[in-house]
Amino acid sequence: MRELRSIGNKELAVYLNKIFKHIEDVESTDEIGGLVKLRNYTHYYRIRIKVSDTRDYRLVLTIRKNKVWAESIALASKNIL
């Protein structure tokens, strides 16, 4: 994801590394913590990443047939997609 290079936040990189390792280790997508389905989309989910009191990020994932793709990461806002 190109967005990671532009963020430049080490704390966020550590959180993302933990999340991606956890996703690789789980047997089922039901075991992924903090996963919330996005309304009006059939295969899109988000994970909230709270780095500090002032910075919240959203990691958007696509999940189909127990395969996970990272789509986007952005500062929290009401319109991600």
Side-chain angles (χ1 to χ4, degrees), residues 3-29:
E3 291 95 355
L4 287 178
R5 291 185 211 118
S6 65
I7 291 172
N9 187 330
K10 289 184 181 182
E11 288 182 64
L12 179 61
V14 169
Y15 280 109
L16 288 174
N17 192 21
K18 288 180 185 178
I19 289 170
F20 291 141
K21 284 184 181 181
H22 177 69
I23 289 173
E24 288 177 355
D25 293 339
V26 297
E27 301 269 334
S28 167
T29 55

Side-chain angles (χ1 to χ4, degrees), residues 50-67:
K50 187 170 177 88
V51 176
S52 67
D53 291 337
T54 59
R55 296 254 178 200
D56 271 355
Y57 289 90
R58 299 294 187 266
L59 174 63
V60 178
L61 305 169
T62 300
I63 300 175
R64 290 185 181 173
K65 298 182 183 177
N66 285 334
K67 291 186 180 183

Side-chain angles (χ1 to χ4, degrees), residues 32-39 44-48 59-61 63:
I32 300 173
L35 198 64
V36 176
K37 187 174 184 321
L38 295 179
R39 285 182 277 160
Y44 286 90
Y45 297 81
R46 70 155 171 87
I47 296 177
R48 179 177 171 228
L59 174 63
V60 178
L61 305 169
I63 300 175

